[in-house]
Each structure stands twice: as structure tokens, then as C-alpha cells.
Amino acid sequence: MSISRRSFFVLAGASTVGTILAAPLKELYARQARGESIKGIGYGTLQPDPNGLLDLPVGFQYRAFSRTGDMMSDGKPVPGDHDGMAAFPGARGTTILVRNHELSPDEVTKPKVEASEEKQYDTLCRGGTTTLIVGPNRELIKDFASLAGTYRNCAGGPTPWGSWISCEENTSTPADNQPGAATNVSKLHGYNFEVPSSATEPVNPIPLVAMGRFNHEAIAVDPKTGIVYQTEDRGDGLFYRFIPKLPGNLQAGGVLEALKIKDMPQAITKTNFPVGQPMAVEWVRIDDVNPVKDTVRVEGFAKGAAQFSRGEGIWYGNGEFYFCSTDGGEAELGQVWRYVPDNSRYGGTIELFVEPNEQNALDGPDNIVISPLGDLFICEDGEGEQFVVGITPQGELYDFARNAINDSEFAGACFSPDGRTMFVNIQDPGITFAIWGPWRKFGK
């Protein structure tokens, strides 16, 4: 069972408590350890969609919109490769979606994120974000480009002050260019970019350099302190925190640090760590946050920081952070780690929360979101059929939605502010769905 082969824990809201996430994962693991069935019926058998798009349980409906190539309100085509996404409250009961597009420079057959030249970070790159305004009846009111000229915008995370941090999952530089290569770039990449949910046009693409130049995956913000925690999608990646000079103003700069397990310098956490044993931590400062070469993790490790194999999703709740090592564990099926900061902000504890090391019960879980009723919803990104899978607080797995088009991944699952609608993407051909129906709380 792989709780997290490629997970993205999405911030469900500052009021969501950490135990909501912890309970389903703990119970799922405990049920399997006891030899009990972990498969449940959830909302019931999925019904074949006559339109061949999305199979759902009885009583659930969907609306599909913002498909790749559709014309947006700004007169530009919807870009391809829909990925990470978050939902924010808008005016008059609307929902604002800010959505990543994981496009590389050489993906020339798919529409790119278009903007005027001065609003593109790198005119050779095709990625970025789009913003969608969705009405109370789940109708698309408006959509437009909101960040342009970036490279492989895969995940990121929402902030408590109402913005989306879009992360570049690539560290290309002009020094890597080859004559005539489709992957050439004109600027350094590997940065975070901030997109306010209130933006009405492409933002000025300002890289948040002080947060580090590395293979960013996802972020989560501690609303009590404004500290931003960051994962790095590399086999030898580190776990970082960014302490801003001015909480809520990331452009003002700050300090970048990497986690070190106390009395265990240069720990390799992929294997041979006990589950459920908190370990004291300290933090080492990264001095060269913007190296020309991709060496932020090299500096941190040399100073004793711990390696986490392919850090991906991260989620915050009730003063705790959960993040994924996507191929960690003896069987390389994934780990979930829990970091709990202390009141001094200088230390805290880290513990290996889940490491199943058993046959997959899920096929490449990716984005994860907490529903308002306490279930986890997991977007699959594996081989063959792709599902959105639910996990009840009692630890039962159930299929909630199936991609009836092809074998492309689900991504960007999130809930509207009123909790009545799930939004989710199918990456290719690139479609956003609004899903609603008889949501309910599962009990014992």
C-alpha cells in the first residue's frame, strides 16, 4: 500500500485541524495491520457516464469546463496540462480557482499560458497559472491568464492571506542551453511565484528568490507565524522552511533553512526509521539561496540537514505539518512524515508517521484534499485506470470518480468555500470539473 507515491496535501483551510488528516491515515494503517478489509463502498458503485468523461456514484453530477483550447475571457486559449489548484471565496457567492499548468518549453503542441511580453517571466517558457471565476450554480463566469513564462508549474499551495504560491519543478538555466534546443530558457528557473486570488490579469512575474532556487514541489504556511514550509522533489531533496521578514509579504525576503535531525547529522530518511517515534530537530541556515547551479540541497546536507527522498505534498492543520516522501520506505512505496514546530520556532519534532511497505492499495496517489466532512480524497496518477479515491475517517478506501476518457491523471482537487462542490482536473486533455451531490459524513 502506498499512501503517498506522489502526493500533494492541499491546505483545506486554516481552521481545519491536523487530527482530521491523521485519523484516516492512522486508521487505514491499523486496519491493514490487523488484516481487515480496507475497501469500502463509500457512496456506492460508480455509474458509467453516457458522455464518456467522468464516472460518479448515483446522485452525483458534474459540470465540465475550461478545456484545453477553449477560448478564455481574455481572448487566449485555455493552456494545457491542468495541475495543482486551490479554491478561494469570491464576491457574491462565487469561487475563485487559481490553477497551475505543468508545461515545459518543448510542449509546443499544447496551448501555452499567453501574456504580453512584459508579463512573461521567460518568453521561452510556456507554463504558469490561469484564474477561473465560478458562479454559485457552478457556471464558469470568467477565466484568464494570471502568471506566464514559467517552467513546469506542478504544485504549490494556498496562503492564509488569499494567494496561490505556484512552484516551478525545474531548475534549468541558460548555461544548459543547446543550439536550437526546444528546452532552452532565457532565465534561471526553480523559483516560487505568488498569484493573488484577487488578480484580474497576469501578475508581474516576480520570482521569490529568497525562498530558494531548487526543484520546488509544494508549500504550506503556518498561519500563526507566517513561516512557509517547502518540499523538494528530488531523491536527495531536503525539507525547508522560509522565515519571512514580514509575515504575509514574501517579496520582502527572509531566511531559508533546512531541517536537521538533532544528533543525527546527514540522516538519510528513506529507510531504517521507526514509525511513530518523534525526534528532536534543529534548522541549518542556507546561505546561498540563489546559486547558479542547483546546489541548495548540497549546502544544506553538508551542514547536516536530513534527506527526504522525493518530497512532494505538504499539508497544515492544527499546528502540525504532514509531508510526503513519495518513494521512501523499504519497498519504495512512500512515507508520510509529521513535523510539529515548538513554541520557540527554533526546533520541534519530526516523526515517520506512515510507511506501509506493502502491495499498493492505490495506484500512484497524487494530490490529496480534506473534505469538509472529514474524508481524504486522493487523485491517482499511476498506470492504467485513474480514480479519485476517498478514505473515510474509519480508514476505508472507496472509489469516488473514474477518468472515463483515458489514463491521464487527476490533479488539483479542492472544495468550494461552502463545501458543496469539489473541483478537480484531468491533466490531459485538460478539463476542470465541478462535482456535487449527496455528500455525507461516514460513521462507524
Side-chain angles (χ1 to χ4, degrees):
M1 179 185 64
S2 173
I3 296 296
S4 166
R5 198 174 120 244
R6 189 168 181 267
S7 303
F8 169 32
F9 288 83
V10 179
L11 177 67
S15 63
T16 305
V17 296
T19 52
I20 290 178
L21 174 62
L25 291 177
K26 273 186 173 178
E27 188 60 27
L28 176 63
Y29 189 47
R31 289 173 72 94
Q32 193 172 54
R34 294 192 298 264
E36 299 176 6
S37 173
I38 60 173
K39 293 297 289 187
I41 61 172
Y43 290 97
T45 304
L46 303 188
Q47 304 301 302
D49 179 13
N51 297 314
L53 297 179
L54 194 65
D55 296 345
L56 296 169
V58 172
F60 282 88
Q61 306 174 62
Y62 72 81
R63 179 166 290 139
F65 51 84
S66 194
R67 305 175 189 230
T68 297
D70 286 354
M71 198 59 64
M72 295 194 294
S73 305
D74 61 4
K76 307 295 192 301
V78 174
D81 287 5
H82 300 24
D83 211 282
M85 185 167 68
F88 303 87
R92 297 180 292 280
T94 60
T95 297
I96 301 171
L97 300 174
V98 185
R99 181 183 63 198
N100 274 359
H101 295 273
E102 192 183 12
L103 290 164
S104 300
D106 57 348
E107 293 187 82
V108 295
T109 62
K110 300 175 182 179
K112 67 177 184 178
V113 183
E114 294 190 37
S116 60
E117 186 170 336
E118 65 271 15
K119 290 295 183 73
Q120 297 179 53
Y121 172 68
D122 183 341
T123 57
L124 297 180
C125 288
R126 307 178 67 84
T129 67
T130 50
T131 296
L132 294 73
I133 313 297
V134 181
N137 295 317
R138 306 172 183 92
E139 73 279 14
L140 180 61
I141 297 173
K142 187 177 182 181
D143 52 347
F144 53 91
S146 47
L147 172 71
T150 50
Y151 199 138
R152 283 184 58 84
N153 300 73
C154 182
T159 70
W161 52 89
S163 64
W164 169 253
I165 304 301
S166 185
C167 298
E168 287 190 309
E169 194 184 17
N170 186 276
T171 55
S172 291
T173 75
D176 301 323
N177 289 351
Q178 300 295 324
T183 54
N184 287 351
V185 297
S186 66
K187 292 184 178 180
L188 295 177
H189 290 271
Y191 299 113
N192 292 336
F193 294 81
E194 186 166 16
V195 182
S197 62
S198 59
T200 57
E201 60 183 15
V203 300
N204 291 321
I206 302 172
L208 299 170
V209 175
M211 297 184 75
R213 194 182 85 81
F214 54 87
N215 218 50
H216 286 276
E217 177 64 29
I219 69 99
V221 182
D222 186 339
K224 298 176 183 177
T225 62
I227 295 175
V228 185
Y229 293 85
Q230 309 182 80
T231 57
E232 182 176 25
D233 189 2
R234 285 190 58 103
D236 57 352
L238 310 183
F239 181 58
Y240 303 92
R241 71 175 183 180
F242 176 69
I243 305 175
K245 291 179 180 177
L246 300 173
N249 183 355
L250 302 180
Q251 291 184 15
V255 174
L256 181 67
E257 297 177 326
L259 183 143
K260 174 185 176 183
I261 299 176
K262 197 170 183 179
D263 301 322
M264 200 181 299
Q266 296 185 327
I268 309 295
T269 67
K270 185 170 183 176
T271 58
N272 300 317
F273 271 78
V275 175
Q277 180 176 308
M279 297 168 285
V281 309
E282 50 197 11
W283 295 85
V284 298
R285 180 163 180 160
I286 304 296
D287 294 313
D288 192 358
V289 301
N290 191 33
V292 174
K293 294 185 178 181
D294 181 16
T295 57
V296 168
R297 73 193 184 287
V298 176
E299 178 188 338
F301 188 65
K303 293 179 176 178
Q307 288 183 358
F308 297 90
S309 185
R310 293 201 57 208
E312 295 220 33
I314 182 168
W315 180 91
Y316 166 85
N318 196 33
E320 301 176 349
F321 293 85
Y322 296 80
F323 68 94
C324 303
S325 173
T326 196
D327 63 356
E330 298 289 342
E332 299 188 346
L333 296 176
Q335 300 166 316
V336 178
W337 293 83
R338 174 164 62 181
Y339 169 67
V340 183
D342 63 14
N343 293 331
S344 71
R345 303 199 322 185
Y346 294 110
T349 61
I350 187 85
E351 69 176 290
L352 177 55
F353 191 65
V354 173
E355 184 187 298
N357 287 317
E358 297 183 22
Q359 176 106 17
N360 281 357
L362 302 171
D363 189 4
D366 193 329
N367 294 183
I368 297 182
V369 66
I370 310 300
S371 83
L373 296 177
D375 285 20
L376 298 181
F377 281 102
I378 301 172
C379 296
E380 289 196 329
D381 178 19
E383 300 297 327
E385 289 186 315
Q386 302 296 301
F387 292 87
V388 175
V389 177
I391 307 179
T392 71
Q394 292 75 43
E396 286 190 340
L397 289 166
Y398 62 91
D399 294 334
F400 176 73
R402 185 184 79 90
N403 175 356
I405 308 169
N406 55 27
D407 294 337
S408 180
E409 67 179 281
F410 285 102
C414 55
F415 279 84
S416 60
D418 64 10
R420 295 170 54 236
T421 305
M422 173 194 280
F423 297 98
V424 69
N425 301 316
I426 289 179
Q427 185 169 93
D428 189 11
I431 306 174
T432 294
F433 294 90
I435 303 171
W436 69 97
W439 303 108
R440 71 176 187 269
K441 189 177 183 68
F442 292 102
K444 295 201 175 193

